[in-house]
Coordinates of all heavy atoms in Angstrom, one line a residue:
M1 N 16.5 32.0 63.1 CA 15.8 31.9 61.9 C 16.3 31.0 60.8 O 17.5 30.9 60.7 CB 15.8 33.4 61.3 CG 14.6 33.6 60.4 SD 14.6 35.3 59.6 CE 14.4 36.3 61.1
N2 N 15.4 30.3 60.2 CA 15.9 29.4 59.2 C 16.5 30.0 57.9 O 15.8 30.9 57.4 CB 14.8 28.4 58.7 CG 14.6 27.2 59.6 OD1 15.5 27.0 60.4 ND2 13.6 26.4 59.4
T3 N 17.6 29.5 57.5 CA 18.1 30.1 56.1 C 17.6 29.0 55.1 O 17.9 27.8 55.2 CB 19.6 30.2 56.2 OG1 20.0 31.1 57.2 CG2 20.1 30.7 54.9
L4 N 17.0 29.5 54.0 CA 16.4 28.6 53.0 C 17.3 28.9 51.7 O 17.8 30.0 51.6 CB 15.0 28.9 52.8 CG 14.1 28.7 54.1 CD1 13.0 29.6 54.0 CD2 13.7 27.2 54.1
I5 N 17.2 28.0 50.8 CA 17.9 28.2 49.5 C 16.8 28.4 48.4 O 16.0 27.5 48.3 CB 18.8 27.1 49.1 CG1 19.9 26.9 50.2 CG2 19.4 27.2 47.8 CD1 21.0 28.1 50.2
C6 N 16.9 29.4 47.7 CA 15.9 29.7 46.7 C 16.0 28.7 45.6 O 17.1 28.5 45.1 CB 16.0 31.1 46.1 SG 14.9 31.4 44.7
Q7 N 14.9 28.0 45.3 CA 14.9 26.9 44.2 C 14.8 27.5 42.8 O 14.5 26.8 41.9 CB 13.7 26.1 44.5 CG 13.8 25.2 45.7 CD 15.1 24.3 45.8 OE1 15.2 23.5 45.0 NE2 15.9 24.5 46.8
S8 N 15.1 28.8 42.7 CA 15.1 29.5 41.4 C 16.6 30.0 41.2 O 17.3 29.7 40.2 CB 14.1 30.5 41.2 OG 14.3 31.3 40.0
C9 N 17.0 30.9 42.1 CA 18.3 31.6 41.8 C 19.4 31.0 42.7 O 20.6 31.4 42.5 CB 18.2 33.1 42.2 SG 17.8 33.5 43.8
G10 N 19.1 30.1 43.6 CA 20.1 29.4 44.4 C 20.6 30.3 45.5 O 21.5 29.8 46.3
W11 N 20.1 31.4 45.7 CA 20.5 32.4 46.7 C 19.9 32.0 48.1 O 18.8 31.7 48.1 CB 20.2 33.8 46.3 CG 21.3 34.7 46.6 CD1 21.2 35.8 47.5 CD2 22.6 34.8 46.0 NE1 22.4 36.4 47.6 CE2 23.2 35.9 46.6 CE3 23.2 34.1 45.0 CZ2 24.5 36.3 46.2 CZ3 24.5 34.5 44.6 CH2 25.1 35.6 45.2
P12 N 20.7 32.1 49.2 CA 20.0 31.9 50.5 C 19.0 33.1 50.9 O 19.3 34.2 50.5 CB 21.3 32.0 51.5 CG 22.4 32.1 50.7 CD 22.1 32.5 49.3
F13 N 18.0 32.8 51.6 CA 17.1 33.7 52.0 C 16.4 33.2 53.3 O 16.6 32.1 53.7 CB 16.0 34.0 50.9 CG 15.1 32.9 50.6 CD1 13.8 32.9 51.2 CD2 15.4 31.9 49.8 CE1 12.9 31.8 50.9 CE2 14.6 30.8 49.5 CZ 13.3 30.8 50.1
T14 N 15.7 34.1 53.9 CA 15.0 33.7 55.2 C 13.5 33.8 55.0 O 13.0 34.4 54.0 CB 15.4 34.6 56.4 OG1 14.9 35.9 56.1 CG2 16.9 34.7 56.5
T15 N 12.7 33.3 56.0 CA 11.2 33.4 55.8 C 10.8 34.8 55.7 O 9.7 35.1 55.2 CB 10.6 32.7 57.0 OG1 11.2 33.0 58.2 CG2 10.7 31.2 56.9
A16 N 11.5 35.8 56.2 CA 11.2 37.1 56.1 C 11.2 37.7 54.7 O 10.5 38.6 54.3 CB 12.1 38.0 57.0
T17 N 12.1 37.1 53.9 CA 12.1 37.5 52.4 C 11.6 36.4 51.5 O 12.0 36.3 50.4 CB 13.5 37.9 52.1 OG1 14.5 36.9 52.4 CG2 14.0 39.2 52.8
A18 N 10.9 35.5 52.0 CA 10.3 34.3 51.2 C 9.3 34.8 50.2 O 8.6 35.9 50.4 CB 9.8 33.2 52.2
A19 N 9.0 34.0 49.2 CA 8.0 34.3 48.2 C 6.7 34.2 48.8 O 6.4 33.6 49.9 CB 8.2 33.3 47.0
T20 N 5.6 34.7 48.0 CA 4.3 34.6 48.4 C 3.5 33.8 47.4 O 3.7 33.9 46.2 CB 3.7 35.9 48.7 OG1 4.0 36.8 47.6 CG2 4.2 36.6 50.0
N21 N 2.5 33.0 47.8 CA 1.6 32.4 46.9 C 0.4 33.4 46.6 O 0.4 34.5 47.2 CB 1.0 31.2 47.6 CG 2.1 30.1 47.8 OD1 2.8 29.8 46.9 ND2 2.1 29.5 49.0
R22 N -0.4 32.9 45.7 CA -1.5 33.8 45.2 C -2.5 34.2 46.3 O -3.0 35.3 46.3 CB -2.4 33.1 44.2 CG -2.4 34.1 43.0 CD -2.8 33.5 41.8 NE -3.8 32.5 41.6 CZ -4.2 32.3 40.4 NH1 -3.8 33.0 39.4 NH2 -5.1 31.3 40.2
D23 N -2.6 33.3 47.4 CA -3.4 33.6 48.5 C -2.7 34.4 49.6 O -3.1 34.4 50.7 CB -4.1 32.3 49.1 CG -3.0 31.4 49.5 OD1 -1.8 31.6 49.5 OD2 -3.5 30.2 49.9
R24 N -1.5 34.8 49.3 CA -0.6 35.6 50.1 C 0.0 34.8 51.3 O 0.6 35.3 52.2 CB -1.4 36.7 50.8 CG -1.9 37.8 49.8 CD -0.8 38.6 49.2 NE -1.3 39.2 47.9 CZ -1.2 40.4 47.7 NH1 -0.7 41.3 48.6 NH2 -1.6 40.9 46.6
S25 N -0.2 33.4 51.2 CA 0.6 32.7 52.2 C 2.1 32.5 51.7 O 2.4 32.9 50.6 CB 0.0 31.3 52.3 OG 0.0 30.7 51.0
V26 N 2.9 32.2 52.7 CA 4.4 32.1 52.4 C 4.7 30.9 51.6 O 4.3 29.8 51.9 CB 5.2 32.3 53.7 CG1 6.7 32.1 53.5 CG2 4.9 33.6 54.4
N27 N 5.5 31.1 50.6 CA 6.1 30.0 49.8 C 7.6 29.9 50.0 O 8.3 30.8 49.6 CB 5.8 30.3 48.3 CG 6.3 29.1 47.4 OD1 7.3 28.5 47.7 ND2 5.5 28.8 46.4
T28 N 8.0 28.9 50.8 CA 9.4 28.8 51.2 C 10.3 28.2 50.2 O 11.5 27.9 50.5 CB 9.6 28.0 52.5 OG1 8.9 26.9 52.5 CG2 9.0 28.9 53.7
D29 N 9.8 27.9 49.0 CA 10.6 27.3 47.9 C 11.5 28.3 47.3 O 12.6 28.2 46.7 CB 9.8 26.6 46.9 CG 9.4 25.2 47.2 OD1 10.0 24.7 48.2 OD2 8.5 24.7 46.6
Y30 N 11.0 29.6 47.2 CA 11.6 30.6 46.5 C 11.8 32.0 47.3 O 11.0 32.2 48.2 CB 10.8 31.0 45.2 CG 10.5 29.8 44.3 CD1 9.3 29.3 44.3 CD2 11.6 29.2 43.6 CE1 9.0 28.1 43.5 CE2 11.3 28.2 42.8 CZ 10.0 27.6 42.8 OH 9.8 26.4 41.9
C31 N 12.7 32.8 46.9 CA 12.9 34.1 47.5 C 11.9 35.1 46.8 O 11.4 34.9 45.8 CB 14.3 34.6 47.4 SG 14.8 35.1 45.7
R32 N 11.7 36.2 47.5 CA 10.7 37.2 47.0 C 11.1 37.9 45.6 O 10.4 38.3 44.9 CB 10.5 38.3 48.0 CG 9.2 39.0 47.9 CD 8.9 39.8 49.1 NE 8.4 39.0 50.3 CZ 8.2 39.4 51.4 NH1 8.4 40.6 51.7 NH2 7.7 38.6 52.4
D33 N 12.5 37.8 45.4 CA 13.0 38.4 44.2 C 12.5 37.6 43.0 O 12.3 38.1 41.9 CB 14.5 38.4 44.1 CG 15.0 39.6 45.0 OD1 14.3 40.6 45.3 OD2 16.2 39.6 45.4
C34 N 12.4 36.3 43.2 CA 12.2 35.4 42.1 C 10.7 35.1 41.9 O 10.2 34.9 40.7 CB 12.9 34.1 42.2 SG 14.6 34.2 42.1
Y35 N 9.8 35.1 43.0 CA 8.5 34.6 42.9 C 7.6 35.4 43.8 O 8.0 35.7 45.0 CB 8.5 33.2 43.5 CG 7.4 32.3 43.2 CD1 7.3 31.6 41.9 CD2 6.4 32.2 44.1 CE1 6.2 30.8 41.7 CE2 5.2 31.4 43.8 CZ 5.2 30.7 42.6 OH 4.1 29.8 42.4
Q36 N 6.6 36.0 43.3 CA 5.6 36.8 44.1 C 4.2 36.5 43.7 O 3.9 36.4 42.5 CB 5.9 38.3 43.8 CG 6.9 38.9 44.8 CD 7.3 40.3 44.4 OE1 6.5 41.1 43.8 NE2 8.6 40.7 44.7
D37 N 3.4 36.4 44.6 CA 1.9 36.3 44.5 C 1.6 35.1 43.5 O 0.8 35.2 42.7 CB 1.3 37.5 44.0 CG 1.5 38.7 45.0 OD1 1.6 38.4 46.2 OD2 1.5 39.8 44.5
G38 N 2.3 34.0 43.7 CA 2.0 32.8 43.0 C 2.6 32.7 41.5 O 2.2 31.7 40.7
A39 N 3.5 33.6 41.2 CA 4.1 33.5 39.8 C 5.6 34.0 39.9 O 6.0 34.8 40.7 CB 3.3 34.3 38.9
F40 N 6.4 33.4 39.0 CA 7.7 33.9 38.8 C 7.8 35.4 38.4 O 6.9 35.8 37.5 CB 8.5 33.1 37.9 CG 8.9 31.7 38.4 CD1 8.3 30.6 37.9 CD2 9.8 31.5 39.4 CE1 8.6 29.3 38.3 CE2 10.1 30.3 39.9 CZ 9.5 29.2 39.5
T41 N 8.6 36.2 39.0 CA 8.6 37.7 38.6 C 9.2 37.8 37.1 O 8.9 38.7 36.5 CB 9.5 38.5 39.6 OG1 10.9 37.8 39.6 CG2 9.0 38.5 41.0
D42 N 10.1 36.9 36.8 CA 10.7 36.9 35.4 C 10.4 35.5 34.8 O 11.2 34.7 34.9 CB 12.1 37.2 35.5 CG 12.7 37.5 34.1 OD1 11.9 37.3 33.1 OD2 13.8 37.9 34.0
K43 N 9.2 35.4 34.2 CA 8.7 34.1 33.7 C 9.7 33.6 32.6 O 9.8 32.4 32.3 CB 7.3 34.1 33.2 CG 6.3 34.2 34.4 CD 4.9 34.2 33.7 CE 3.9 34.6 34.9 NZ 4.0 36.1 35.0
S44 N 10.2 34.5 31.7 CA 10.9 34.2 30.6 C 12.5 33.9 30.9 O 13.2 33.5 29.9 CB 10.9 35.3 29.5 OG 11.4 36.5 30.0
L45 N 12.8 34.0 32.1 CA 14.2 33.8 32.5 C 14.6 32.4 32.2 O 14.0 31.4 32.5 CB 14.4 34.1 34.1 CG 15.8 34.0 34.6 CD1 16.6 35.2 34.2 CD2 15.8 33.8 36.1
S46 N 15.8 32.2 31.5 CA 16.2 30.9 31.2 C 17.4 30.7 32.1 O 18.0 31.6 32.7 CB 16.8 30.8 29.7 OG 17.9 31.6 29.6
L47 N 17.8 29.4 32.2 CA 19.0 29.0 33.0 C 20.3 29.8 32.6 O 21.0 30.2 33.4 CB 19.1 27.5 32.9 CG 20.2 26.9 33.9 CD1 19.9 27.3 35.3 CD2 20.2 25.4 33.8
H48 N 20.3 29.9 31.3 CA 21.5 30.6 30.8 C 21.6 32.1 31.3 O 22.5 32.6 31.7 CB 21.7 30.5 29.2 CG 22.8 31.2 28.7 ND1 24.2 30.8 28.9 CD2 22.9 32.4 28.0 CE1 25.0 31.7 28.3 NE2 24.3 32.6 27.8
Q49 N 20.5 32.7 31.1 CA 20.3 34.1 31.5 C 20.6 34.3 33.0 O 21.3 35.3 33.4 CB 18.9 34.7 31.2 CG 18.7 34.9 29.7 CD 17.2 35.3 29.5 OE1 16.3 34.7 30.1 NE2 17.0 36.2 28.6
L50 N 20.2 33.3 33.7 CA 20.4 33.4 35.2 C 21.9 33.2 35.5 O 22.5 34.0 36.3 CB 19.7 32.3 35.9 CG 19.8 32.2 37.4 CD1 19.4 33.5 38.1 CD2 19.0 31.1 38.0
E51 N 22.6 32.4 34.8 CA 24.0 32.2 34.9 C 24.8 33.5 34.7 O 25.7 33.9 35.4 CB 24.6 31.0 34.0 CG 24.1 29.8 34.4 CD 24.5 28.7 33.4 OE1 25.2 29.0 32.4 OE2 24.1 27.5 33.5
V52 N 24.3 34.2 33.6 CA 25.0 35.4 33.2 C 24.8 36.5 34.2 O 25.7 37.2 34.7 CB 24.4 35.9 31.8 CG1 25.0 37.4 31.5 CG2 24.9 35.0 30.7
K53 N 23.5 36.5 34.7 CA 23.1 37.5 35.8 C 24.0 37.3 37.1 O 24.4 38.3 37.7 CB 21.7 37.2 36.2 CG 20.9 38.5 36.7 CD 19.5 38.2 36.6 CE 18.8 38.5 37.9 NZ 17.3 38.2 37.8
L54 N 24.2 36.1 37.5 CA 24.9 35.7 38.6 C 26.4 36.2 38.5 O 27.0 36.7 39.4 CB 24.9 34.2 39.0 CG 23.6 33.7 39.5 CD1 23.5 32.2 39.7 CD2 23.2 34.3 40.9
L55 N 27.0 36.0 37.3 CA 28.4 36.3 37.0 C 28.5 37.9 37.2 O 29.4 38.4 37.6 CB 28.9 35.8 35.7 CG 29.1 34.3 35.7 CD1 29.5 33.8 34.3 CD2 30.2 33.8 36.6
E56 N 27.5 38.6 36.6 CA 27.4 40.0 36.6 C 27.3 40.5 38.0 O 28.0 41.5 38.5 CB 26.2 40.6 35.8 CG 26.5 40.6 34.3 CD 25.3 40.9 33.5 OE1 24.2 41.1 34.1 OE2 25.3 41.0 32.3
M57 N 26.6 39.8 38.8 CA 26.4 40.2 40.2 C 27.8 40.1 41.0 O 28.1 40.9 41.8 CB 25.4 39.3 41.0 CG 23.9 39.9 40.9 SD 22.7 38.6 41.4 CE 23.1 38.7 43.2
A58 N 28.5 39.0 40.6 CA 29.8 38.8 41.3 C 30.8 40.0 40.9 O 31.6 40.3 41.7 CB 30.3 37.5 40.8
E59 N 30.6 40.5 39.6 CA 31.5 41.6 39.2 C 31.2 42.9 40.0 O 32.0 43.7 40.3 CB 31.4 41.8 37.8 CG 32.4 40.9 37.0 CD 32.2 41.1 35.5 OE1 31.9 42.3 35.1 OE2 32.3 40.2 34.8
V60 N 29.8 43.1 40.2 CA 29.4 44.3 40.8 C 29.5 44.3 42.4 O 30.0 45.3 42.9 CB 27.9 44.6 40.4 CG1 27.4 45.8 41.0 CG2 27.8 44.8 38.9
H61 N 29.1 43.2 42.9 CA 29.1 43.1 44.4 C 30.4 42.6 45.0 O 30.9 41.6 44.6 CB 28.0 42.3 44.9 CG 26.6 42.8 44.5 ND1 26.1 43.8 45.3 CD2 25.8 42.5 43.7 CE1 24.9 44.1 44.7 NE2 24.6 43.3 43.8
E62 N 31.0 43.5 45.9 CA 32.3 43.0 46.5 C 32.1 41.8 47.4 O 33.1 41.1 47.6 CB 32.9 44.2 47.3 CG 33.6 45.1 46.5 CD 34.1 46.4 47.2 OE1 34.2 46.2 48.4 OE2 34.3 47.4 46.6
D63 N 30.9 41.6 48.0 CA 30.8 40.5 48.9 C 30.5 39.2 48.2 O 30.3 38.2 48.9 CB 29.6 40.8 49.9 CG 28.3 41.3 49.3 OD1 28.4 41.7 48.2 OD2 27.3 41.1 49.9
I64 N 30.4 39.2 46.9 CA 30.2 37.9 46.2 C 31.4 37.7 45.2 O 31.6 38.6 44.4 CB 29.0 37.9 45.2 CG1 27.6 38.2 46.1 CG2 28.8 36.6 44.5 CD1 26.5 38.7 45.2
S65 N 32.2 36.6 45.5 CA 33.3 36.4 44.7 C 32.9 35.6 43.4 O 31.9 35.0 43.4 CB 34.4 35.6 45.5 OG 33.9 34.3 45.6
L66 N 33.8 35.7 42.4 CA 33.5 34.9 41.2 C 33.5 33.4 41.4 O 32.7 32.8 40.9 CB 34.7 35.2 40.2 CG 34.4 34.9 38.7 CD1 33.2 35.6 38.2 CD2 35.6 35.2 37.9
E67 N 34.2 33.0 42.4 CA 34.3 31.5 42.8 C 32.9 31.1 43.4 O 32.4 30.1 43.0 CB 35.4 31.2 43.8 CG 36.7 31.2 43.2 CD 37.3 32.7 43.0 OE1 37.0 33.5 43.9 OE2 38.0 32.9 42.0
E68 N 32.3 32.0 44.2 CA 31.0 31.7 44.8 C 30.0 31.7 43.7 O 29.2 30.8 43.8 CB 30.7 32.9 45.8 CG 31.3 32.6 47.1 CD 31.0 33.8 48.1 OE1 31.2 35.0 47.7 OE2 30.5 33.5 49.2
A69 N 30.0 32.6 42.9 CA 29.1 32.6 41.7 C 29.2 31.4 40.9 O 28.2 30.7 40.5 CB 29.3 33.8 40.9
Q70 N 30.4 31.0 40.6 CA 30.6 29.7 39.8 C 30.1 28.4 40.5 O 29.6 27.6 39.9 CB 32.1 29.6 39.4 CG 32.4 30.6 38.2 CD 33.9 30.8 38.1 OE1 34.7 30.5 38.9 NE2 34.3 31.2 36.9
Q71 N 30.4 28.4 41.9 CA 29.9 27.3 42.7 C 28.3 27.2 42.6 O 27.7 26.2 42.4 CB 30.3 27.5 44.1 CG 31.7 27.2 44.4 CD 32.1 25.8 44.2 OE1 31.3 24.9 44.5 NE2 33.3 25.5 43.6
L72 N 27.7 28.4 42.7 CA 26.3 28.5 42.7 C 25.7 28.0 41.3 O 24.8 27.2 41.3 CB 25.9 30.0 42.9 CG 24.5 30.3 43.4 CD1 24.3 29.6 44.8 CD2 24.3 31.8 43.5
I73 N 26.3 28.5 40.2 CA 25.9 28.1 38.9 C 26.0 26.6 38.7 O 25.1 26.0 38.1 CB 26.8 28.9 37.9 CG1 26.4 30.3 37.8 CG2 26.7 28.2 36.5 CD1 27.3 31.2 37.1
K74 N 26.9 25.9 39.2 CA 27.1 24.5 39.1 C 25.9 23.8 39.8 O 25.5 22.6 39.4 CB 28.4 24.0 39.9 CG 29.5 23.8 38.8 CD 30.7 23.2 39.5 CE 31.9 24.1 39.5 NZ 33.0 23.7 40.4
K75 N 25.3 24.4 40.9 CA 24.2 23.8 41.6 C 22.8 24.1 41.0 O 21.9 23.5 41.3 CB 24.3 24.2 43.0 CG 25.4 23.6 43.8 CD 25.3 24.0 45.2 CE 26.6 23.8 46.0 NZ 26.9 24.7 47.1
L76 N 22.8 25.1 40.1 CA 21.5 25.5 39.6 C 20.7 24.4 38.9 O 19.5 24.3 39.2 CB 21.7 26.7 38.6 CG 22.1 28.1 39.1 CD1 22.3 29.0 38.0 CD2 21.1 28.5 40.2
P77 N 21.2 23.5 38.2 CA 20.4 22.4 37.5 C 19.7 21.5 38.6 O 18.8 20.8 38.2 CB 21.4 21.7 36.7 CG 22.6 22.6 36.4 CD 22.6 23.4 37.7
E78 N 20.2 21.5 39.8 CA 19.6 20.7 40.8 C 18.3 21.4 41.5 O 17.6 20.7 42.2 CB 20.6 20.4 42.0 CG 21.8 19.6 41.5 CD 22.9 19.6 42.6 OE1 22.6 19.9 43.8 OE2 24.1 19.4 42.3
L79 N 18.2 22.7 41.2 CA 17.1 23.3 41.9 C 15.8 23.1 41.1 O 15.7 22.7 40.0 CB 17.3 24.9 41.8 CG 18.6 25.3 42.5 CD1 18.8 26.8 42.3 CD2 18.6 25.1 44.0
K80 N 14.7 23.2 42.0 CA 13.4 22.8 41.6 C 12.9 23.5 40.2 O 12.4 22.8 39.3 CB 12.4 23.2 42.6 CG 11.1 22.4 42.6 CD 10.4 22.7 44.0 CE 8.9 22.3 44.0 NZ 8.3 22.8 45.2
R81 N 13.2 24.8 40.1 CA 12.6 25.5 39.0 C 13.3 24.8 37.7 O 12.7 24.7 36.6 CB 13.0 26.9 39.1 CG 12.4 27.7 37.9 CD 12.7 29.1 38.0 NE 12.1 29.9 36.9 CZ 12.1 31.2 36.8 NH1 12.7 31.9 37.7 NH2 11.6 31.7 35.7
W82 N 14.6 24.7 37.7 CA 15.4 24.2 36.5 C 15.2 22.7 36.3 O 15.4 22.3 35.1 CB 16.8 24.7 36.6 CG 16.8 26.1 37.0 CD1 17.2 26.7 38.1 CD2 16.3 27.3 36.1 NE1 17.0 28.0 38.1 CE2 16.5 28.4 36.9 CE3 15.7 27.3 34.9 CZ2 16.1 29.6 36.4 CZ3 15.3 28.6 34.4 CH2 15.5 29.7 35.2
R83 N 15.0 21.9 37.3 CA 14.7 20.5 37.1 C 13.5 20.3 36.3 O 13.4 19.6 35.4 CB 14.7 19.8 38.5 CG 15.9 19.4 39.0 CD 15.7 18.2 40.1 NE 14.5 18.4 40.8 CZ 14.6 18.8 42.2 NH1 15.8 18.9 42.8 NH2 13.6 18.9 42.9
L84 N 12.4 21.1 36.7 CA 11.1 21.0 36.0 C 11.2 21.3 34.6 O 10.6 20.7 33.6 CB 10.2 21.9 36.7 CG 9.7 21.5 38.1 CD1 8.8 22.7 38.6 CD2 8.9 20.3 38.1
E85 N 12.1 22.3 34.2 CA 12.3 22.7 32.9 C 12.8 21.6 32.0 O 12.6 21.5 30.8 CB 13.3 23.9 32.8 CG 13.2 24.7 31.5 CD 14.3 25.7 31.5 OE1 15.4 25.3 31.7 OE2 13.9 26.9 31.2
N86 N 13.6 20.6 32.6 CA 14.2 19.6 31.8 C 13.4 18.3 31.6 O 13.8 17.5 30.8 CB 15.5 19.2 32.5 CG 16.6 20.4 32.5 OD1 16.6 21.2 31.6 ND2 17.4 20.4 33.5
I87 N 12.2 18.3 32.1 CA 11.3 17.2 32.0 C 10.8 17.2 30.6 O 10.3 18.2 30.2 CB 10.2 17.2 33.1 CG1 10.9 16.9 34.4 CG2 9.2 16.0 32.8 CD1 10.0 17.0 35.6
Ligands
ZN101 ZN1 15.4 33.6 44.1

C-alpha cells in the first residue's frame, strides 16, 4: 500500500484513510482528518494553529516525539495547502 503525505497536516496516510472529493471519489492530496467531501474539515485553521496542534500532539502521544513534530513543522510551508495561502 502506498504511503502518502497529507498536503495539509504533513502526516503520513494511506489510500484507505485518504480524503474524499464532493463526488465521493478519493482525493490523495489530503488525509480524511483534514479534508472530507470536497472541503477542509477545519477551514479556518491557520498554519500557526496547526503548528500548535502538532506540538500538543507530541506531548500527548508517546509515539510522536517533540523532535518529530518539529521536523514536521519545518516542512509545513512546502505543503500544497500552505503554499496556496502565501500566494
Ligand atoms: Zn491531514
Side-chain angles (χ1 to χ4, degrees):
M1 205 184 291
N2 270 354
T3 302
L4 303 149
I5 298 292
C6 175
Q7 295 297 302
S8 169
C9 65
W11 220 251
F13 67 100
T14 65
T15 45
T17 53
T20 46
N21 293 313
R22 229 158 44 164
D23 59 5
R24 299 292 161 119
S25 60
V26 173
N27 183 323
T28 53
D29 277 345
Y30 305 107
C31 73
R32 202 167 284 175
D33 283 341
C34 292
Y35 198 87
Q36 271 174 28
D37 301 333
F40 286 112
T41 54
D42 188 353
K43 288 187 197 71
S44 64
L45 184 76
S46 71
L47 187 53
H48 178 69
Q49 283 171 325
L50 180 59
E51 288 173 8
V52 172
K53 208 164 130 181
L54 288 170
L55 289 174
E56 280 172 358
M57 273 170 72
E59 273 179 33
V60 177
H61 294 283
E62 279 176 21
D63 53 335
I64 305 163
S65 70
L66 195 59
E67 288 77 36
E68 276 177 309
Q70 284 165 339
Q71 284 296 320
L72 200 62
I73 285 166
K74 264 188 242 167
K75 288 182 197 153
L76 289 178
E78 297 167 20
L79 300 176
K80 202 168 168 183
R81 182 175 183 183
W82 309 114
R83 273 203 318 255
L84 289 173
E85 198 188 51
N86 292 332
I87 292 171

